[in-house]
Amino acid sequence: MGGEQFEQKEGSPELLQSLRSKATELLFREEWEESIQLYTKFIDLSRTKITKLAGSDPDSIHKLKKSLCLALCNRAEARARLHDSSEAMRDCDQALEIENTHFKTLLCKGKVLLGLSKYSSALECFKTALLDPQASESVTEYMEKCKKLEFKAKTGAFDLSDWILSGFRGITPELAEFIGSVEIKKSEGSGRGLFATKNIVVGTLILVTRAVATERGILGSEESGEKAQMIMWKNFVEEVTKSVRRCDRTRRLVSSLSTGEEEEKLEIPDISLFRPEEASETYDDSKQDLGMEKLLSILDVNSLVEDAVSAKVIGKNKEYYGVGLWTLASFINHSCVPNARRVHVGDYAVVHASRDIKAGEEITSAYFDVLSSPLEKRKEMAESWGFSCKCSRCKFESLLSVANQEIREFEMGLERGVDAGNAVYTVEEGMKRWKVKGKDKGLLRASYWGVYEEVYNSERLMRRWGRKVPTMEVVVDSVCDVIGSDERLLKMLVEGMKQKKNGGCSSSSIAEMEKVLKLGKGVYSKVVSKKKAMKTLVGLE
């Protein structure tokens, strides 16, 4: 008898009303986890009662289902606020099974889908919600937002020019996930890589991807900076762990990344897995964890820092040290002759061509500084990253170094601090004797860029050596041709233009300006389409 009274109490209208009221109050107070707990209890009790009433009390069942629908919607809202997108989607779908035009649920599901970068699916939710009498202007605004982001996701038509010209004022522009003409294939050098399926012109977007998680901070002195980095790494790992547990798709994407072992056995994922709109959103009841050991290995191999030599941070984050995980960008391998760079905008990584790329060519970036880094120094840096670089530049310089005692003596001279002008003259004359021609000249100039830079930045050295060495423009062009656009090459050209102007020369020629702007696109990408904005970034405004 006591058990029956307990069951009756558990399913009583008074208890259900009390649970729903308390859960709603917690929701309004933004106590998400607590509200989820009470909504879960309410939902379970309601479902039990509906089962017991089956076929006996249609009116009561109808009322309970309406309450159940709203409770599922509210729990979805709380879960969405905690970025638990998979569970939020599950709740929305279950609510819509009860009432397929439930306004609040459609609105919630649309927002979740928008957060998952599923722009067209989100748009359909908002379109249906707009038919409801409760619909306000905000639904129309969400629809317009979906349309704009969907267009950007399909075309890659981003333009940050106005934001740059405003001095990065206001909120960071919202970008959309975009994947250009690329595919994932086996890489000759290291496991899997990203490859161009069409010819890509310098500055063209390759992909725009949002981070699984990021962690940023301002580093202090060396000692405090190391401590700050350790704390940031710990926080970063925690954020990635949360993201993986709360989103099935994120877990699948992160699971596809390398742990650094048995690369040759890894599957080649289809690029569609990384296209949010094409990827199916399935639910995994098992919630299998990646395992902390595997996850840490994945993060160790695939995490990217925002202050890397191949990256440029623009906007509010430029003073920060940042680390993040961008899944598709993780497939980009290193090369000492890179053809791609990253621009970081908010939580998005914008990867673009830093020089022209041919169809079938692998997309590569520099994991470390490959400008002013001779072969032996690059070997050391590659070893610290846990790999051996086998790019065309390393092969060429290895062969040249083995066969040429002069180069070894020259590099020893550089270590002793020989005159920079003499060093440049020695390299240029040596290339004639070593029969180094064409693009290979650019490779050696890139390796010894430090002495070239010193000469071109010194009036004294230029007076002495200027007639005996190539012009700055010739050297910059040859280096850029082989290692892609680099901020230091860009700075050199800009300073050269300014010196001409300050020296009383007439204004720079259109050809010189176009060369600077083209190099600027290689550094910052074509997301900066207005010349005035690009001039601002490169320091000509």
Side-chain angles (χ1 to χ4, degrees):
M1 189 68 153
E4 289 178 5
Q5 286 177 342
F6 178 76
E7 286 183 13
Q8 186 178 5
K9 185 179 177 183
E10 283 285 283
S12 67
E14 293 79 15
L15 177 61
L16 290 174
Q17 179 59 41
S18 174
L19 282 171
R20 188 171 65 177
S21 298
K22 287 178 183 177
T24 304
E25 181 185 341
L26 290 168
L27 186 72
F28 286 143
R29 283 160 46 184
E30 299 187 359
E31 296 179 27
W32 313 121
E33 291 182 357
E34 293 80 0
S35 71
I36 289 170
Q37 289 173 7
L38 288 186
Y39 275 125
T40 299
K41 191 169 184 180
F42 174 84
I43 289 165
D44 290 344
L45 289 173
S46 296
R47 282 173 169 160
T48 300
K49 190 165 185 180
I50 288 170
T51 301
K52 287 182 177 179
L53 292 173
S56 62
D57 192 346
D59 288 340
S60 295
I61 290 174
H62 178 71
K63 288 176 183 177
L64 276 169
K65 283 187 174 181
K66 284 185 74 71
S67 296
L68 180 59
C69 179
L70 183 58
L72 285 163
C73 174
N74 287 342
R75 189 170 70 173
E77 177 72 27
R79 283 173 162 168
R81 295 303 186 100
L82 292 174
H83 307 290
D84 194 347
S85 56
S86 293
E87 292 299 331
M89 282 289 291
R90 186 201 299 268
D91 282 344
C92 286
D93 288 342
Q94 289 178 359
L96 292 172
E97 284 177 12
I98 298 170
E99 187 179 338
N100 62 7
T101 58
H102 190 255
F103 173 73
K104 192 175 178 183
T105 303
L106 287 167
L107 204 57
C108 181
K109 185 176 179 179
K111 291 177 185 178
V112 174
L113 288 167
L114 189 55
L116 293 169
S117 301
K118 292 177 173 283
Y119 311 118
S120 61
S121 299
L123 181 60
E124 290 305 311
C125 282
F126 293 130
K127 280 181 179 178
T128 307
L130 190 63
L131 301 174
D132 194 281
Q134 300 177 65
S136 63
E137 191 176 330
S138 64
V139 179
T140 306
E141 290 172 357
Y142 275 119
M143 287 175 61
E144 291 305 313
K145 183 177 181 178
C146 287
K147 289 176 184 176
K148 288 178 182 177
L149 292 175
E150 185 180 14
F151 176 75
K152 290 176 181 179
K154 287 181 177 178
T155 62
F158 300 89
D159 189 356
L160 303 179
S161 299
D162 291 339
W163 182 55
I164 292 164
L165 289 170
S166 74
F168 307 107
R169 285 194 294 272
I171 61 172
T172 304
E174 187 170 15
L175 304 182
E177 299 262 6
F178 166 78
I179 300 176
S181 303
V182 292
E183 62 181 341
I184 301 169
K185 292 168 55 179
K186 282 282 186 185
S187 172
E188 264 186 53
S190 44
R192 305 165 300 178
L194 207 60
F195 290 78
T197 57
K198 294 181 181 178
N199 292 340
I200 302 174
V201 177
V202 61
T204 301
L205 282 185
I206 294 170
L207 61 94
V208 179
T209 178
R210 186 165 54 187
V212 170
T214 59
E215 183 67 22
R216 299 186 178 96
I218 299 175
L219 302 181
S221 62
E222 185 174 340
E223 186 175 340
S224 64
E226 287 182 11
K227 186 176 179 182
Q229 278 184 282
M230 287 177 64
I231 294 170
M232 286 172 63
W233 178 257
K234 179 177 177 292
N235 294 338
F236 170 60
V237 171
E238 287 177 359
E239 286 304 309
V240 174
T241 303
K242 288 178 186 176
S243 297
V244 164
R245 286 175 178 168
R246 289 172 173 171
C247 181
D248 295 334
R249 179 170 177 265
T250 299
R251 186 167 62 258
R252 290 199 301 274
L253 294 180
V254 174
S255 297
S256 73
L257 302 181
S258 169
T259 60
E261 298 179 1
E262 299 185 318
E263 295 270 346
E264 67 283 352
K265 295 182 181 179
L266 293 173
E267 290 184 11
I268 307 296
D270 192 277
I271 199 72
S272 63
L273 179 66
F274 299 86
R275 298 185 192 275
E277 205 65 69
E278 293 181 28
S280 61
E281 190 66 28
T282 58
Y283 304 114
D284 182 4
D285 288 328
S286 63
K287 284 288 182 185
Q288 291 179 352
D289 202 307
L290 270 172
M292 186 52 70
E293 186 178 347
K294 182 178 179 181
L295 183 59
L296 287 174
S297 295
I298 287 172
L299 293 180
D300 187 48
V301 172
N302 298 282
S303 299
L304 302 174
V305 293
E306 291 182 322
D307 66 346
V309 291
S310 64
K312 178 70 180 173
V313 179
I314 62 176
K316 293 181 180 179
N317 301 325
K318 60 184 177 181
E319 295 177 357
Y320 287 70
Y321 168 85
V323 60
L325 178 65
W326 291 268
T327 51
L328 185 55
S330 299
F331 284 86
I332 298 174
N333 289 313
H334 166 84
S335 174
C336 298
V337 280
N339 54 30
R341 288 178 63 88
R342 300 193 315 272
V343 171
H344 290 268
V345 181
D347 288 338
Y348 286 84
V350 179
V351 180
H352 63 276
S354 59
R355 58 180 172 83
D356 292 344
I357 302 172
K358 294 180 180 179
E361 187 178 347
E362 183 171 3
I363 308 296
T364 57
S365 65
Y367 288 5
F368 46 77
D369 193 0
V370 296
L371 186 61
S372 194
S373 298
L375 176 64
E376 290 306 314
K377 185 178 179 182
R378 298 200 311 275
K379 280 183 177 179
E380 288 176 16
M381 289 188 284
E383 191 175 321
S384 70
W385 276 79
F387 68 91
S388 174
C389 186
K390 299 174 183 176
C391 71
S392 57
R393 177 180 174 187
C394 287
K395 289 177 182 176
F396 162 73
E397 289 186 43
S398 291
L399 290 172
L400 191 64
S401 179
V402 167
N404 203 315
Q405 179 65 28
E406 272 189 87
I407 288 181
R408 294 193 290 278
E409 291 173 357
F410 169 72
E411 289 183 354
M412 286 190 285
L414 286 181
E415 291 175 5
R416 291 194 298 268
V418 297
D419 177 80
N422 186 48
V424 170
Y425 179 75
T426 300
V427 172
E428 292 297 325
E429 289 300 304
M431 285 195 287
K432 294 176 184 176
R433 294 191 301 277
W434 309 329
K435 296 182 181 179
V436 175
K437 299 178 181 179
K439 289 191 175 184
D440 290 343
K441 287 185 177 181
L443 295 177
L444 286 186
R445 288 166 176 167
S447 290
Y448 307 121
W449 170 255
V451 288
Y452 283 88
E453 188 176 34
E454 188 176 338
V455 169
Y456 296 133
N457 282 332
S458 168
E459 290 184 19
R460 178 184 64 82
L461 290 173
M462 282 301 291
R463 281 196 299 269
R464 182 177 176 187
W465 296 98
R467 293 177 182 274
K468 298 179 181 179
V469 298
T471 65
M472 177 266 290
E473 290 82 2
V474 166
V475 171
V476 167
D477 280 351
S478 68
V479 173
C480 186
D481 196 35
V482 292
I483 69 158
S485 304
D486 184 281
E487 202 169 8
R488 288 160 291 181
L489 301 176
L490 178 60
K491 183 179 179 182
M492 179 69 73
L493 281 184
V494 170
E495 288 302 314
M497 289 181 66
K498 287 180 178 178
Q499 286 174 14
K500 285 182 182 179
K501 191 173 182 180
N502 294 335
C505 296
S506 58
S507 59
S508 301
S509 69
I510 294 175
E512 284 179 309
M513 180 60 75
E514 288 303 317
K515 185 182 292 186
V516 166
L517 293 177
K518 182 180 179 182
L519 194 52
K521 287 177 183 176
V523 173
Y524 295 100
S525 94
K526 289 183 177 179
V527 295
V528 188
S529 63
K530 294 180 181 177
K531 285 187 177 181
K532 190 173 182 181
M534 183 62 77
K535 287 179 181 179
T536 299
L537 282 177
V538 303
L540 284 173
E541 284 287 334

